[in-house]
Amino acid sequence: MAYQKTEIMSQFEPVIGLEVHLQLNTKTKIFCSCANQYGCAPNTNVCPVCLGLPGSLPVLNRQALLYAIKVGLALNAEINSFIKFDRKNYYYPDLPKGYQISQFDFPVAKDGFLKIKSGNQEKRIGIKRAHLEEDAGKSMHDNTGSCSLVDFNRTGTPLIEIVTEPDLRSPQEAYDYLNILKLTLQYLGVSDCDMEKGSLRCDANISIRPVGQAALGTKTELKNMNSFRAVKAALEYEIRRHEQVILAGGKIVQETMLWDDTQAQTQTMRSKEEAHDYRYFPDPDLVPFTVDYKTIDSVRAELPELPQAKLVRFLSQYELSEYDANILVADSGMADFFEAAVKEYPQAKKVANWLAGPVSMELKNRKIPIHGLKLTPKALVELIAKVEDGVVSNLVGKEVLGLMLDQGKGAEEIIQAKGMAQVSDDSALFAIIDEVIAQNAAVVDQIKSGKPNAAGFLVGQAMKKSGGRANPKKLNELITRKIAGV
Amino acid sequence: MSISKKDVKYVAALARIDLPEEDLEGFTQTLGKIVHYVEQLQKLNLDNVKPTSHAVPVGNVFRSDAVKPSLTNSQSLAIAVEAKDGCFKVPLVIE
Ligand SMILES: [Zn+2]
């Protein structure tokens, strides 16, 4: 069923909260020493703890806690000085113990915020909490459709769940929040944040209420969105559905909806487990933890400059356009590359243009990150200098860049080997110019009769004859001189 | 607080225990006695007692982030009732 956008829409205000699950990229799992690795043969990264065998005991990976503290600090949250782990009880075949180890009343971090841009203003999105928990295994449907198959490799992967306050007021705000959250997490280096691999997952809560009403409407929970774009689309759909149900005099039922990306609609998740009673209680297998100031301070000292601060600095320190600065900051590797390059070659705008333009294009085409390129900041600025000095044109410069990346060689070497340097030598250019002038007497007459713009045509002809290698500035100058008889 | 038959049915369902109807009365009484026994705690004055989540006074037990060998696939599947394609085979899960 399709729910069209209506003008009535403006009568209602959406209230949205998001829950993001992030897999941490520690070397081992959260409560055992199995490798925390994606893509291994099924059930080969498992041990008695993973399988929930009697007599096995979970022990917390210190690195997972440090990462969670790091995330908490980056989200401007308060780190609890006392934390503990609790059991969240439910039955599912991918959960061997019959409970998930999570955190209930004493999460690692609470009461934080992230800022997003809403129109021209900044808006604070409250972070209610961020807690550690273990991931579950993976169940797959057998192709015969008669049974399910369970792989426990993912069991015990460290997760941090980041829960916002219901502060988001539109699907666009939700989308913007997710993007800045992801970028922040990427800067922290605690996860690869890859939604396709499931290392970052997002659920949403949505309700609507008449504009001006304080009480919240009944919410539904949205699951199964595989991209931020899908989160936005699912929220847009669900808002329209809520509106039309309410306008038709109906009531929203509090339930979980699954987003179907191909049908572009939400569907009720029919499940007997709908009325969850998780019966949280402290996990007696895990001791409680205290987090002291020393630990928090040492993690704080490791925090990198975060993307929003970096953007502000790039705009002021290098006087970049907002467009260029955003492209650089959107990838911490790119931002670092930029600053290293500017140290070698202080024309920041030129360097930014090359990175945001040709280099970004190459990254896109080659589908690799910037640290995967056979390019150093020094090698890039050598190329930029060649273009600025007129050794090669801008266009040929881009071609040289491609060859540098293919061959891992420097600009100088490639320009030499391929004979790509612009011809700026007077005698070589005059030979071409003489030919062009002889073949275009009419144009020459036009120029002589006071139409100097016609020289452009001759420059074009000469460029063609040179195979694109002539220096156009120089050509223009020499043609003008020749015709003027100087 | 007393335990009703409905409570017992609910807890049995959560624990996936198939409780025969004829056992319901007996379990309701037994569970009721246990809950009543624990209720004695409510008579105590606990104003100056900190909530405890763990009975042993130990904290901050960590593991370092170093990989140790896992089980092999055949070792992990040795406890499976049924296995297929390297996985634990279970009754069909329908979401
Ligand atoms: Zn394990």
Side-chain angles (χ1 to χ4, degrees), chain A residues 29 32 34 46-47 49-50:
Chain A
K29 295 186 177 181
C32 70
C34 289
V46 295
C47 72
V49 173
C50 297

Side-chain angles (χ1 to χ4, degrees), chain A residues 317-388:
Chain A
Q317 183 177 342
Y318 300 112
E319 294 175 357
L320 300 179
S321 70
E322 199 139 332
Y323 175 83
D324 284 348
N326 267 310
I327 288 185
L328 296 178
V329 170
D331 174 351
S332 63
M334 181 79 93
D336 292 345
F337 193 105
F338 165 75
E339 294 209 274
V342 170
K343 267 191 196 133
E344 305 274 345
Y345 188 80
Q347 297 205 48
K349 277 196 82 72
K350 292 254 154 52
V351 176
N353 285 336
W354 271 85
L355 283 171
V359 175
S360 290
M361 187 71 87
E362 294 285 350
L363 291 176
K364 219 182 212 174
N365 292 340
R366 289 163 199 255
K367 296 192 172 73
I368 47 171
I370 190 151
H371 58 78
L373 278 186
K374 285 185 196 159
L375 186 72
T376 60
K378 204 170 174 181
L380 177 67
V381 299
E382 274 167 20
L383 170 61
I384 298 175
K386 295 275 180 216
V387 174
E388 291 306 308

